[in-house]
Amino acid sequence: MPERRQITVRGIVQGVGFRPFVYEAARERELAGFVRNETRGVSIEVEGDAEDIDAFLLHLRTEPPALSHLDSVDVSPLPLQGESGFRIEYSRSTARREALIPPDTATCPECLDELRDPADRRHRYPFLNCTRCGPRFTIIEDLPYDRQNTTMAGFELCADCRREYEDPSDRRFHAQPTACPACGPELRMEGADSGAADVNVSRFGASPDLVRAAADALAEGAVVAVKGLGGYHLACDAGNPESVRRLRRRKGRDAKPLAVMAPDLPSVRRLCSVSPREEDLLTSRRRPIVLLRRREGNRGLAPEVAPGNRDLGVMLPYTPFHTLLLGEVGEPLVMTSGNRSDEPIAYRDADARERLAGVADLFLTHDRPIRARCDDSVTRVVCGDVMPIRRSRGYVPEPVPVPRTLDEPPSVLAVGGHLKNTFCLTRGRHAFPGPHVGDLENLEAYEALEDGVSHFRRLLDVRPEVVAHDLHPDYLSTRFAQELADEIGAPRREVQHHHAHVAACAAEHGVTEPVIGVAFDGTGYGPDGAVWGGEVLVADLRHFRRAAHLAYVPLPGGEAAVRQPWRMAAAHLTAAGGGEDELLESGPARRLADAAGSVRWPAVRSMLREGVGSPPTSSVGRLFDAVAALAGLRAEVDFQAQAAMELEARADAAGDGGAGRPAAGGKSGGYPTGVYRDDESGLRWDPAPLIRAVVGDLEGETSVGTVAVRFHRTLASAVLELCRGVREEEGLGTVALSGGVFQNALLTEWTVEALEAAGFEVLLHRRVPPNDGGLSYGQAAVALARADREEPIPVRPATSAASARNGIGREDAPCV
Ligand code: ZN
Ligand code: ZN
Ligand code: FE
């Protein structure tokens, strides 16, 4: 029986070779009709034998192209037209844009073969790509996804490329960014003109082979700014301590670990141990940075790359240009974001030239413009699966589903937090977390947020109906939300920081029921004005109640205490001493007093005595700082979480040795958790017994590694006891672990072991980061869940764009 049917396919179906796939599938079964891209997806009409159409549909649903992702396939009958032959029609815009844009994808095996084949016309061409790989999100200006709507619009296809582009049986059929040496982008080398060069680079630019010239310059110690997919990298020889120090000095980055790009898997294995799951991740088409355990000895790696760290962030080449460069160098390169200090990554050529002039000796760039800034993603394998630490290139702009609470949910824009900022825009039941913006501490970051939001609004073709933001009145993100909400006439929704963390974790698992939310991090604004960060919540997507928290201690000097962990040690010693000075006279305290100096130490002690300039905090991040400082690891830090990372590294090292992994949830060898139930105020968590025990250990013969192990074990036990306490009261059996502290793989694994052994179901972050990079998604989930009811919008004083741009964030954000 002949039939004709209309098929609409939605999901990631454009720019992934979907139409040629449909074309082949239809021709194989001798079906007539056509396929075309529309802004809402792909539209197909087929005519032929009903059985053949069914087989065609089955094939479509079960074996779509590798990079595609089908959200829905809708089929409806049409009258017969008696058509013959199958064709691909040109794109047509329809009113609503529902097509999903693919993320940028690592070079595919076929393209790599061509790159290495001396007989191929694209041999060693740094910009080759096809429908299975290459740039997407970072070059797309607008939809529909056609070449004229990308930054490849200015490159006219040569006759050979056009033939491939128009041939439905070719891998490059409608490959929008396709190019070859005859018609595509070109590499360009420019010297730094700032006089910053420590390496004489003038001779390199004259070479006919710029990749080889760059490799030579790197081998001689140069710092090279390299234009990639979503921005510029700063590259240098990872085995050359002098180059790495120079890069750090010029970039203004003292100690934060730098990521490395290795030529291939064997060279990764020389640096780090790699599990099968980690290997999958390293070689996946998303090609993120993976945090791996370093091998002893660090052969071939300068210690300056990741000082004091047991882990190393490693990635493999993901563009043909990287493959050529790393192939030529043959050794790992430092490949870090092209920026100074904490500014957003540079991606426009003129801007990069200006901002990186004093940092790079050489610029290896090209003439394919980058439309959207997109940093490398960072991942870690925790409890056997992927945990995103930074979700950006290779993932963005793929959607993350949000649980459906309404039939027609409004579009929500959530603007995230202050540090590791991302935004998130929703359309229907999809949330679209944006790329990494960074810390909102300067004008560049604020503009990156503005630009990112307006680009996403255009690509997704949505006008936000609700704007969600943090409770903190002085965050730049809050000001941005206020201005935007006023401009577009949308209501605002405030979402508490730790509620957003927990909601993010629950929502990504599709959980809408109440959970026990354990949110541990450095800083988040509490409704009581305190600095929260050690929270046990009973929460669903709409509401939360604080069931317990780490008892408040003063945060002496506010922001200063974040940079100077010795202040937190003093605060915890004072609180744990209960009015006695004994702890403050102990050996570990005296060492800190010496480090802080004869002016600052007494000043902070009197601050603590008088309670001035010291907002209360329940932060577990700061508890890590205090213990690390007491253990003599860090009196001061260069970046957030540095002390905590070193404490984890020490525990990890000791845990691997004779001590072995402690029994899950067991008390042996741990410190007292300080968790108890108070008849009047319920579940309490007091850090004092832990602090006293740590001091006792450190005064004796106990090693720092053992103290670190015991501290981690105690925290895991505390979480277990707290969750048991909440389960007794509320009968809840699901625990969501969120907040930056749960990037700590050791703590997370021990906590999960303990909770699961006690019968809890545990949710970990698998789609968005547990740190503040995941806040925007959580804010969006909360705002969507609350969308069906009118809630009063608290009145805040309006602020002007000018005041926001004059750096308010630097003075009074992020936490006090
Ligand atoms: Zn390819
Ligand atoms: Zn060409
Ligand atoms: Fe946080």
Side-chain angles (χ1 to χ4, degrees):
M1 275 295 279
E3 281 184 14
R4 188 177 181 92
R5 289 184 222 168
Q6 208 277 328
I7 303 160
T8 302
V9 187
R10 286 178 203 174
I12 299 181
V13 288
Q14 297 191 8
V16 292
F18 200 79
R19 287 173 304 169
F21 156 77
V22 169
Y23 178 85
E24 284 300 317
R27 301 239 307 195
E28 253 171 50
R29 294 169 182 82
E30 296 178 347
L31 298 174
F34 64 85
V35 55
R36 73 176 163 229
N37 276 351
E38 298 195 341
T39 35
R40 63 202 165 110
V42 162
S43 175
I44 307 165
E45 290 189 16
V46 281
E47 185 165 330
D49 198 72
E51 259 177 43
D52 289 332
I53 296 181
D54 289 340
F56 168 82
L57 277 167
L58 185 69
H59 184 60
L60 192 94
R61 287 190 168 109
T62 54
E63 287 169 71
L67 298 190
S68 66
H69 177 85
L70 308 194
D71 272 340
S72 66
V73 180
D74 296 319
V75 186
S76 55
L78 288 173
L80 282 174
Q81 291 188 5
E83 204 176 6
S84 65
F86 195 89
R87 65 190 189 280
I88 296 176
E89 283 197 348
Y90 282 99
S91 297
R92 202 177 73 166
S93 296
T94 54
R96 197 160 152 69
R97 302 166 177 221
E98 289 174 17
L100 298 180
I101 296 168
D104 303 279
T105 300
T107 320
C108 74
E110 290 85 352
C111 284
L112 285 177
D113 285 345
E114 293 172 352
L115 189 70
R116 293 175 179 134
D117 178 3
D120 194 277
R121 71 191 188 89
R122 291 188 177 86
H123 178 229
R124 286 180 70 80
Y125 180 57
F127 304 98
L128 90 173
N129 62 76
C130 73
T131 50
R132 294 169 199 169
C133 73
R136 297 288 188 279
F137 168 65
T138 53
I139 60 163
I140 294 176
E141 310 244 21
D142 206 351
L143 284 183
Y145 175 53
D146 279 329
R147 192 172 174 99
Q148 68 267 22
N149 282 334
T150 72
T151 62
M152 287 298 291
F155 297 91
E156 192 159 341
L157 289 170
C158 69
D160 287 337
C161 285
R162 178 156 297 283
R163 233 187 331 273
E164 296 164 343
Y165 185 87
E166 289 173 352
D167 177 0
S169 66
D170 195 281
R171 201 172 91 245
R172 294 197 167 86
F173 176 74
H174 282 231
Q176 306 305 347
T178 189
C180 79
C183 67
E186 285 179 350
L187 282 181
R188 203 165 59 218
M189 185 176 275
E190 297 161 14
D193 36 31
S194 65
D198 287 315
V199 176
N200 178 9
V201 292
S202 54
R203 68 191 185 281
F204 294 118
S207 166
D209 186 336
L210 295 181
V211 174
R212 187 157 302 160
D216 289 345
L218 287 162
E220 289 190 29
V223 174
V224 181
V226 178
K227 185 175 175 183
L229 273 184
Y232 278 72
H233 279 121
L234 289 165
C236 77
D237 178 356
N240 182 337
E242 205 180 308
S243 296
V244 180
R245 277 199 297 272
R246 192 181 300 142
L247 170 58
R248 283 196 180 278
R249 191 180 66 240
R250 293 183 190 165
K251 187 176 147 85
R253 180 153 168 167
D254 291 333
K256 227 172 182 172
L258 301 167
V260 160
M261 185 180 275
D264 48 29
L265 263 180
S267 65
V268 178
R269 289 189 195 284
R270 279 195 288 279
L271 297 173
C272 301
S273 54
V274 184
S275 72
R277 189 72 194 85
E278 289 164 341
E279 179 179 328
D280 287 350
L281 198 51
L282 279 169
T283 56
S284 73
R285 59 189 164 82
R286 303 183 188 278
R287 231 30 89 86
I289 294 170
V290 184
L291 299 180
L292 298 172
R293 170 73 54 84
R294 274 155 81 161
R295 283 186 188 282
E296 298 297 330
N298 299 315
R299 277 163 295 172
L301 194 75
E304 288 82 353
V305 174
N309 219 298
R310 292 260 294 174
D311 294 331
L312 181 68
V314 186
M315 62 185 147
L316 289 172
Y318 52 85
T319 70
F321 168 59
H322 292 149
T323 303
L324 293 173
L325 182 64
L326 272 290
E328 204 65 59
V329 173
E331 299 289 340
L333 292 177
V334 165
M335 286 285 252
T336 184
S337 303
N339 53 16
R340 277 178 189 273
S341 186
D342 290 321
E343 291 176 359
I345 188 169
Y347 74 107
R348 290 196 170 103
D349 297 327
D351 181 50
R353 287 292 309 192
E354 196 183 306
R355 281 165 57 200
L356 304 180
V359 185
D361 298 308
L362 267 183
F363 285 77
L364 191 53
T365 176
H366 59 75
D367 53 355
R368 184 179 72 203
I370 298 172
R371 171 56 190 90
R373 170 193 281 119
C374 207
D375 287 72
D376 293 318
S377 292
V378 182
T379 58
R380 185 172 200 178
V381 172
V382 178
C383 295
D385 208 349
V386 185
M387 176 178 278
I389 304 294
R390 181 202 283 163
R391 185 188 184 275
S392 209
R393 194 246 323 141
Y395 294 84
V396 173
E398 263 181 23
V400 178
V402 263
R404 183 192 291 268
T405 48
L406 291 171
D407 283 341
E408 301 241 337
S411 171
V412 175
L413 172 69
V415 299
H418 183 74
L419 300 173
K420 299 183 169 69
N421 177 273
T422 62
F423 59 87
C424 180
L425 192 56
T426 74
R427 187 177 69 187
R429 61 188 186 82
H430 286 312
F432 295 84
H436 172 74
V437 173
D439 299 349
L440 292 184
E441 302 233 301
N442 47 57
L443 176 61
E444 284 78 12
Y446 189 83
E447 287 175 347
L449 173 61
E450 280 184 322
D451 180 57
V453 167
S454 72
H455 191 45
F456 258 51
R457 281 176 62 186
R458 179 166 59 244
L459 291 185
L460 298 174
D461 195 25
V462 287
R463 183 189 174 80
E465 292 157 276
V466 177
V467 180
H469 60 88
D470 194 84
L471 215 56
H472 198 303
D474 297 324
Y475 275 2
L476 278 191
S477 56
T478 301
R479 314 250 161 151
F480 174 68
Q482 288 167 338
E483 281 164 24
L484 188 75
D486 286 350
E487 184 192 315
I488 62 179
R492 290 187 288 111
R493 292 282 178 268
E494 291 180 320
V495 182
Q496 198 278 327
H497 189 103
H498 302 93
H499 185 208
H501 273 310
V502 171
C505 189
E508 68 165 86
H509 289 276
V511 172
T512 55
E513 300 299 304
V515 297
I516 304 171
V518 179
F520 290 175
D521 63 2
T523 287
Y525 190 85
D528 59 355
V531 180
W532 288 19
E535 311 308 312
V536 180
L537 310 179
V538 170
D540 61 13
L541 298 182
R542 281 172 193 259
H543 307 290
F544 76 96
R545 180 175 72 74
R546 203 181 192 196
H549 63 88
L550 188 69
Y552 285 147
V553 298
L555 185 67
E559 179 74 349
V562 178
R563 292 187 299 272
Q564 298 167 4
W566 64 265
R567 289 175 181 250
M568 279 320 293
H572 273 287
L573 290 171
T574 305
E580 303 292 323
D581 278 353
E582 195 189 321
L583 287 174
L584 285 152
E585 302 301 331
S586 66
R590 282 199 308 275
R591 280 198 297 276
L592 283 177
D594 288 345
S598 58
V599 177
R600 295 192 301 175
W601 182 260
V604 162
R605 283 194 61 184
S606 84
M607 269 177 113
L608 289 165
R609 244 188 331 266
E610 280 144 39
V612 292
S614 305
T617 184
S618 53
S619 169
V620 170
R622 297 291 89 80
L623 179 64
F624 265 91
D625 286 352
V627 172
L630 284 172
L633 291 178
R634 287 263 147 212
E636 314 218 351
V637 294
D638 299 312
F639 59 94
Q640 281 248 3
Q642 184 180 18
M645 281 163 61
E646 294 188 7
L647 201 60
E648 180 189 1
R650 290 302 188 98
D652 207 42
D656 276 352
R661 290 224 158 170
K667 288 201 170 78
S668 63
Y671 301 122
T673 60
V675 176
Y676 63 98
R677 187 179 295 280
D678 181 281
D679 285 343
E680 280 186 12
S681 45
L683 209 51
R684 311 280 292 178
W685 182 20
D686 181 4
L690 162 76
I691 292 292
R692 285 194 291 267
V694 167
V695 171
D697 261 1
L698 290 167
E699 293 239 79
E701 297 289 294
T702 315
S703 73
V704 170
T706 301
V707 169
V709 167
R710 290 178 178 170
F711 173 67
H712 279 74
R713 196 186 305 182
T714 308
L715 276 187
S717 301
V719 172
L720 174 63
E721 290 176 25
L722 289 161
C723 290
R724 275 190 168 137
V726 178
R727 181 164 65 183
E728 279 165 23
E729 284 169 19
E730 311 271 344
L732 299 175
T734 302
V735 179
L737 299 181
S738 191
V741 167
F742 289 106
Q743 288 170 182
N744 180 323
L746 193 69
L747 176 65
T748 303
E749 286 176 6
W750 289 354
T751 304
V752 170
E753 274 175 44
L755 288 169
E756 287 183 346
F760 287 98
E761 188 192 343
V762 184
L763 308 177
L764 293 181
H765 280 279
R766 300 303 187 192
R767 310 289 299 267
V768 301
N771 59 50
D772 288 2
L775 281 180
S776 60
Y777 172 76
Q779 292 169 347
V782 171
L784 277 176
R786 288 181 187 162
D788 61 340
R789 57 171 66 182
E790 282 299 311
E791 296 201 4
I793 299 166
V795 180
R796 298 247 182 236
T799 46
S800 70
S803 71
R805 282 166 200 186
N806 284 338
I808 282 158
R810 199 172 280 288
E811 276 84 41
D812 30 354
C815 66
V816 286

